[in-house]
Amino acid sequence: MGRGPTVRRMTLSSAALTPGLPLVIQGGMGVGVSNWRLANAVARLGQLGVVSGTALDTLLVRRLQDGDPGGHVRRALERFPIPDVAAAVLKRWFRPEGRPADAPYALLPMYRQAVSVARQQLTVLANFVEVWLAKEGHAGPVGVNLLTKVQLPNLASLYGAMLAGVDYVLMGAGIPREIPGALDALAEHRPAQMRLDVEDDAGGPVEWLAFDPCAQWSAVPHVTLARPRFVPVVSATSLATTLARKANGRVDGFVVEGPTAGGHNAPPRGELQLDARGQPVYGERDRVDLEKLRALGLPFWLAGGAGSPEGVRAALDVGAAGVQVGTLFAYCDESGIADDLKRQVLAAVAAGRVDVRTDPRASPTGYPFKLVEVDGLATQDDTRVRRCDLGYLRVAYRRPDTRLGYRCAAEPVADYVTKGGDAADTEGRRCLCNGLVADVGHAQPRDDGAERPLLTAGDDLRGLRGFVAGRTRYTARDVVDHLLQGAGDGR
């Protein structure tokens, strides 16, 4: 299963590293797995450290409610260039004594097409904090990864990351054609907008998401912003070509991701076929033609199954600037996955008791999603009581009265159907929002038990046994050193 390159291979001796570009991009794994600690550690090693921008507003307020151990959030808040915003958020959400373990977290209002300035400001602040901490104490490059599918908070998220000096923006799970132009506008503190996708919208008016940077400030913005490099994540040459030629601004390269990567995968082209385990079957049509991709004249990195010295060497052989690697970093010391979950997964890897399954139904987005399965590890399953109180994967739909509503295929079935959804669309769906937040130690307590984790990883997880080699833990430096062996003398 997989999309392999269809390109004439060059010899390693002819594949030079691209000056000024990272060889290794640390994958932007959400929610909070690719946190500031991991990105900081990787960037200090001269590679591209990446924070996930997904649900950072929720993570920010939960860290503050837990007492901000180590004072890291508060240290970053002191550097936020709009001090009254930072002070208001601290006053509202910080609990110096921490939250009792069985007390529920207070929730943010869920995003809609139009939200209050204060709600936007919190999103701006959350992304600033994560990127600022990732960049603290070194001069290495830092990126932010956002999902195109999670439309509603993305403009505010980008602005917050840019206020902290983010160097790269990476986006997948959709066609981010309007993001380059938004980056151009935000760099100059000008209003930015992008089209809002609306379901059940036959002949309805075009709806827009708008963000005005100047509305976030009490005075004229005085901060000079650099426009970060924009690197979309693609799974097809046609998508890369479209973005390179038709995006509303500059595209600076591509991450080419195959279906062996963790998290969301692109659906197979053509009629969906499933294997004996119920996984989508990928074929020849799903292979990326790297020869055509190289003809676009932009750097690219290979992702999905590239997390080894051999993967790095193969990427350089076909003219890539390097690789993007997620799974190896996901279980290192610095990642945001809770320590007890890391230990259980790594023990299962060592014992050969771990599996990764591509579930075509788990994600409410409709994209296939990788699930980690470990004997004895309690993770979210179909017995979970359905709730939707974070709402990052809600989509807008056109109501009969022509106004916009919001729904998610993982919410309670009756609610989804009341909103015009098809009950068949809810079958097998998981609550990624609550499950992924639980992965990083911020599970919401419930009367029927705390939210359980929902772990994801690439197919590489099965082969992690050789890399771990009996260790019970390892660091981001161990991962980078391992990968750089594939660059040989070109490091």
Side-chain angles (χ1 to χ4, degrees):
M1 179 179 79
R3 302 180 183 90
T6 56
V7 64
R8 177 180 55 83
R9 297 177 66 86
M10 301 180 292
T11 63
L12 183 60
S13 61
S14 66
L17 302 186
T18 308
L21 295 178
L23 174 67
V24 176
I25 298 177
Q26 164 247 308
M29 301 164 287
V31 171
V33 175
S34 291
N35 63 2
W36 65 265
R37 288 183 176 87
L38 176 56
N40 189 295
V42 173
R44 285 175 181 269
L45 298 171
Q47 305 305 320
L48 179 55
V50 178
V51 299
S52 168
T54 304
L56 278 179
D57 46 2
T58 287
L59 289 183
L60 175 73
V61 300
R62 293 194 179 188
R63 289 167 179 167
L64 290 174
Q65 289 175 74
D66 285 336
D68 184 25
H72 303 294
V73 171
R74 284 168 288 163
R75 187 170 71 254
L77 290 178
E78 292 176 355
R79 302 301 296 271
F80 190 59
I82 317 175
D84 54 329
V85 171
V89 168
L90 196 62
K91 180 179 179 180
R92 167 67 180 85
W93 297 99
F94 180 51
R95 299 181 64 168
E97 72 287 356
R99 174 191 55 89
D102 58 349
Y105 288 102
L107 298 172
L108 289 166
M110 288 190 281
Y111 251 91
R112 308 174 70 87
Q113 180 187 32
V115 296
S116 68
V117 171
R119 184 69 180 87
Q120 288 185 329
Q121 288 172 331
L122 196 148
T123 303
V124 172
L125 178 64
N127 282 267
F128 173 90
V129 166
E130 201 76 8
V131 173
W132 189 89
L133 289 170
K135 291 182 70 69
E136 184 182 25
H138 63 86
V142 168
V144 64
N145 181 285
L146 295 169
L147 297 178
T148 310
K149 196 78 172 176
V150 184
Q151 287 190 291
L152 299 173
N154 276 347
L155 292 175
S157 298
L158 289 169
Y159 188 62
M162 291 170 69
L163 285 175
V166 74
D167 301 290
Y168 285 77
V169 170
L170 302 98
M171 292 187 71
I175 306 175
R177 185 185 300 181
E178 297 169 294
I179 297 301
L183 295 176
D184 294 338
L186 296 175
E188 299 176 357
H189 303 286
R190 291 187 287 109
Q193 68 176 16
M194 62 183 186
R195 186 187 296 258
L196 173 63
D197 295 333
V198 179
E199 295 184 348
D200 299 342
D201 196 31
V206 175
E207 300 288 349
W208 297 92
L209 294 171
F211 178 82
D212 184 359
C214 291
Q216 315 302 313
W217 300 73
S218 57
V220 177
H222 60 277
V223 178
T224 300
L225 300 183
R227 196 268 201 190
R229 290 176 172 174
F230 178 59
V231 179
V233 181
V234 302
S235 59
T237 312
S238 57
L239 176 55
T241 301
T242 295
L243 290 170
R245 296 176 179 173
K246 297 182 179 180
N248 63 353
R250 189 183 79 240
V251 173
D252 298 286
F254 300 99
V255 170
V256 184
E257 188 172 87
T260 58
H264 286 99
N265 301 144
R269 285 167 177 75
E271 183 178 354
L272 178 63
Q273 298 183 32
L274 304 178
D275 65 15
R277 299 181 63 203
Q279 303 182 112
V281 176
Y282 293 86
E284 192 64 32
R285 292 178 62 187
D286 300 300
R287 296 183 181 276
V288 177
D289 188 334
L290 296 184
E291 192 74 59
K292 292 181 179 178
L293 189 68
R294 275 175 36 199
L296 296 176
L298 295 171
F300 62 92
W301 292 259
L302 300 187
S308 66
E310 295 76 21
V312 172
R313 188 173 302 116
L316 295 177
D317 279 354
V318 297
V323 297
Q324 176 179 279
V325 176
T327 298
L328 276 178
F329 286 112
Y331 294 92
C332 73
D333 286 352
E334 295 88 347
S335 91
I337 294 177
D339 286 343
D340 61 329
L341 293 178
K342 288 181 194 173
R343 287 195 296 270
Q344 291 179 74
V345 171
L346 289 177
V349 167
R353 295 185 294 103
V354 67
D355 196 13
V356 178
R357 180 171 61 87
T358 306
D359 191 321
R361 300 289 304 174
S363 174
T365 65
Y367 286 72
F369 189 79
K370 289 278 196 303
L371 296 174
V372 173
E373 298 177 340
V374 174
D375 291 345
L377 179 62
T379 58
Q380 187 187 118
D381 58 24
D382 293 337
T383 66
R384 175 185 179 270
V385 176
R386 284 179 173 245
R387 305 176 179 91
C388 184
D389 54 10
L390 296 179
Y392 292 99
L393 293 178
R394 295 195 308 167
V395 296
Y397 71 97
R398 185 73 64 185
R399 298 175 6 169
D401 63 6
T402 74
R403 294 187 297 169
L404 294 183
Y406 301 88
R407 66 192 181 203
C408 175
E411 70 182 331
V413 177
D415 294 349
Y416 187 74
V417 172
T418 298
K419 297 173 183 178
D422 185 344
D425 291 339
T426 68
E427 295 175 6
R429 304 300 189 191
R430 308 288 181 91
C431 181
L432 268 58
C433 294
N434 276 290
L436 295 179
V437 171
D439 289 350
V440 296
H442 294 290
Q444 180 71 292
R446 309 285 192 187
D447 291 341
D448 54 345
E451 290 281 0
R452 284 181 285 176
L454 189 68
L455 290 169
T456 183
D459 290 351
D460 277 359
L461 185 63
R462 301 186 187 100
L464 201 61
R465 189 175 186 176
F467 169 75
V468 173
R471 293 176 291 182
T472 58
R473 56 187 295 183
Y474 60 93
T475 67
R477 177 179 286 276
D478 293 330
V479 176
V480 171
D481 287 347
H482 176 64
L483 295 172
L484 291 184
Q485 296 176 36
D489 295 335
R491 281 185 278 180

